[in-house]
Amino acid sequence: MTAVETAPGTAPPAAGSLTTRTVLQWGVLAAPVVLLLVMAWTHRWTYEDGFINFRIVRQIQAGHGPVFNTGERVEAYTSALWIAALWLGDLLTPLRLEWVAVILGIAGTVSGLALSTAGSMRLARLTAPGSFLAPAGAAVVAVLAPMWVFATSGLEGGLVFFWIGACAWVLARWATSDRRFPLWGAVVVGLGVLVRPELSLMTLAFAAAFFVGDWSATAWRRRFALLGALVAIPIAYQIFRMGYFATLLPNTAYAKDASGSRWNLGVDYARDFANTYALWIPLVLLALGGYVPLVRRLSGEHRRAMLVVIAFLVAATLDALYITRIGGDYIPARLLLPAIFAFCAPVAVVAWRLRDAVALAVLPWAVVCALALRPSSPYYTTIGVTARNVVTLEDTGFTRDSPKLAWFQAPGIYYGQSRLDASPGPDATPSTVFAGGIGIVGYALGTNVNIMDSLGLADPVTAHFALTSRGRPGHEKPEPPPWVAARITAPGSNLPARDFPNFTLIRLLLPPSTGAKFQQQVADARKSIDCGELRELRDSYRQHLTLGRFFDNIGRSFRLSGVSVPPDPAKAVAKFCR
């Protein structure tokens, strides 16, 4: 008897044919992952806001807690898990913090694509068990230039993509087996809100899939266990947020008016992204050639898998609609990338066969996109960076002894790069800088220098200013000069308005004033910050934290989160000093 028996009249398989096919299959599926790895590395960089995260990590290491300024409990970060990852990476590796962010960002992005590809393979094998698989959705993700750029930047993009990929793999693993959804899988899905708050919409869609899929075969005890695993960590962090920061949401959400509605700006933001990369082509092809046939084929005996596919479509849609509703972002494409990533995950791979030709048609587009489709101006110039691969503080030229920081001669009160002839006011320390961009400057000057943020990302008073007009998201609340003077200079300073010029190109919340009017506005601002809810808001994050204050803050957080500060100091006095 031979080692390999064959049917009569058939030739034995060629030696090595299976191995060759397998190697070719894995090579084809790995190609988008490798491309994304290479392009993310060549586009590595650190954005201004990334240095905000680095300063917070340094504050944690100094024993001051997850804060931006010493003695001010303000949640100036958006992603709690990204801060934790940076802190842990800096603790466990010999790398500089900037390089920790680069490595973690690229690793998360590439791993996320690999995990979503693995999950999609499991789904594809249900309906095409012996077919050669081609990377359709994976190719779409890998060739988009914004993916290369925001794999790093010092922001949480890589963590976002890793979380979506991990959810895709966990859900696909469950959908293609007869096992119950694991409790650890529910923990993974529930972490979305700690990656970015709006990802809670994706969490709801993913959780709906496994709850519905297992509902009839699961007892109530198991359902409660799944629910507990899903929400335990987010609820624990929310209690910490409310007690420590006295707020319901990150301070960045108030500064950016994350609950507001700016559909016109959001539509323009989405249109710019779609038109720049001709995104309508792959989205339509994957919807018609990937989603529709996949759902149809799975709708019979593979109900779980069908629910997973639908959950990712719903998750991507909800996220895209939310980002569009709030007006998008001031950085091109960035906040729509998670929706694109989630949309492509279930159809990351499709079978290489004629019946899937519509989905496979994305591959020619992918080649054109990778080689030719770019924004009219490179990301680095459109968001204020002039060179690629600016990673470390030295790369920015903002080291403590560099000419760019020569204006900071000694402790004092600084408005921009000008040292004021005044003592510190109620919201200042003996070494305070009022700045427009707080990331690089704040990281370079160190944790002993107080940095007051003109746009409110790290300052609750500014974050809670009422909007008088709409503009670029995140850049709509420049603190009016009378408020700045009242908060960073001591009573009796009486500095003229010319010492507080507007150094941003952003629409002002309060018309400029001079002379006696300016001084009256400063006096009104001084009075209002010590009155009512505005005083309570300042005390909630500036007063020493005791166990009693922690629990008091939990109750106050509901009321203080709704505080709206009129930009006009006279109106603030009337509102808070009744």
Side-chain angles (χ1 to χ4, degrees), residues 16-98:
S17 60
L18 181 60
T19 301
T20 301
R21 188 177 191 275
T22 301
V23 170
L24 180 61
Q25 176 68 95
W26 285 108
V28 168
L29 295 182
V33 178
V34 173
L35 173 64
L36 185 56
L37 171 63
V38 171
M39 300 309 291
W41 175 254
T42 58
H43 289 74
R44 63 192 182 277
W45 69 310
T46 303
Y47 179 48
E48 154 74 22
D49 287 3
F51 288 95
I52 296 177
N53 295 325
F54 302 161
R55 177 177 164 99
I56 293 169
V57 171
R58 290 288 180 251
Q59 291 281 22
I60 295 173
Q61 294 169 338
H64 302 148
V67 301
F68 186 80
N69 285 318
T70 304
E72 295 182 357
R73 297 183 304 277
V74 181
E75 192 176 8
Y77 51 90
T78 300
S79 176
L81 275 185
W82 181 237
I83 295 296
L86 290 175
W87 172 81
L88 188 62
D90 193 54
L91 178 68
L92 299 179
T93 70
L95 300 175
R96 285 185 52 146
L97 185 54
E98 298 97 311

Side-chain angles (χ1 to χ4, degrees), residues 58 110 124 130-131 218-219 334 379 452 529:
R58 290 288 180 251
V110 172
S131 297
T218 305
R334 175 189 164 221
Y379 281 95
M452 182 173 284
I529 61 176

Side-chain angles (χ1 to χ4, degrees), residues 439-457:
I440 296 175
V441 168
Y443 190 59
L445 291 178
T447 58
N448 291 327
V449 178
N450 179 287
I451 307 294
M452 182 173 284
D453 180 15
S454 69
L455 296 175
L457 294 178

Side-chain angles (χ1 to χ4, degrees), residues 45-385:
W45 69 310
T46 303
Y47 179 48
E48 154 74 22
D49 287 3
F51 288 95
I52 296 177
N53 295 325
F54 302 161
R55 177 177 164 99
I56 293 169
V57 171
R58 290 288 180 251
Q59 291 281 22
I60 295 173
Q61 294 169 338
H64 302 148
V67 301
F68 186 80
N69 285 318
T70 304
E72 295 182 357
R73 297 183 304 277
V74 181
E75 192 176 8
Y77 51 90
T78 300
S79 176
L81 275 185
W82 181 237
I83 295 296
L86 290 175
W87 172 81
L88 188 62
D90 193 54
L91 178 68
L92 299 179
T93 70
L95 300 175
R96 285 185 52 146
L97 185 54
E98 298 97 311
W99 283 109
V100 169
V102 167
I103 300 302
L104 288 179
I106 294 177
T109 301
V110 172
S111 299
L113 183 58
L115 286 168
S116 63
T117 299
S120 181
M121 288 174 63
R122 297 181 73 106
L123 298 176
R125 292 301 185 198
L126 292 177
T127 60
S131 297
F132 193 84
L133 302 177
V140 173
V141 169
V143 300
L144 288 171
M147 285 294 304
W148 310 340
V149 173
F150 293 108
T152 56
S153 80
L155 303 175
E156 68 284 343
L159 182 61
V160 171
F161 305 134
F162 176 75
W163 176 78
I164 296 173
C167 289
W169 182 79
V170 169
L171 286 163
R173 177 179 177 271
W174 161 76
T176 54
S177 70
D178 57 0
R179 292 170 290 190
R180 296 181 302 180
F181 196 79
L183 294 180
W184 63 265
V187 172
V188 171
V189 172
L191 291 177
V193 68
L194 300 184
V195 177
R196 277 193 67 88
E198 71 269 16
L199 293 183
S200 58
L201 298 172
M202 290 195 183
T203 291
L204 291 175
F206 299 156
F210 65 75
F211 270 110
V212 172
D214 276 349
W215 189 266
S216 60
T218 305
W220 276 104
R221 182 176 179 180
R222 174 70 179 181
R223 293 169 189 164
F224 282 122
L226 278 173
L227 181 62
L230 181 74
V231 303
I233 296 177
I235 287 179
Y237 183 79
Q238 183 64 20
I239 292 172
F240 166 77
R241 169 186 284 150
M242 294 165 67
Y244 190 80
F245 298 114
T247 184
L248 298 178
L249 297 170
N251 193 65
T252 54
Y254 302 105
K256 297 180 179 182
D257 193 39
S259 62
S261 178
R262 301 169 271 233
W263 284 103
N264 59 328
L265 292 176
V267 169
D268 289 341
Y269 181 77
R271 184 187 295 119
D272 174 71
F273 184 26
N275 290 345
T276 299
Y277 302 97
L279 267 181
W280 304 114
I281 295 174
L283 293 182
V284 170
L285 291 176
L286 289 178
L288 298 180
Y291 272 91
V292 172
L294 185 58
V295 170
R296 188 175 67 249
R297 295 165 194 164
L298 295 173
S299 59
E301 57 183 307
H302 303 297
R303 179 170 173 268
R304 281 181 172 184
M306 181 192 67
L307 289 172
V308 170
V309 174
I310 293 175
F312 271 85
L313 178 60
V314 171
T317 302
L318 289 176
D319 187 74
L321 285 175
Y322 171 76
I323 297 303
T324 304
R325 178 181 182 272
I326 65 172
D329 189 35
Y330 66 97
I331 304 177
R334 175 189 164 221
L335 290 189
L336 285 175
L337 292 176
I340 295 297
F341 198 97
F343 177 83
C344 292
V347 289
V349 303
V350 298
W352 185 271
R353 55 188 181 183
L354 185 61
R355 62 193 299 187
D356 293 297
V358 174
L360 293 171
V362 302
L363 297 178
W365 167 88
V367 173
V368 174
C369 183
L371 296 177
L373 300 184
R374 299 289 186 277
S376 56
S377 297
Y379 281 95
Y380 305 99
T381 57
T382 57
I383 55 181
V385 180

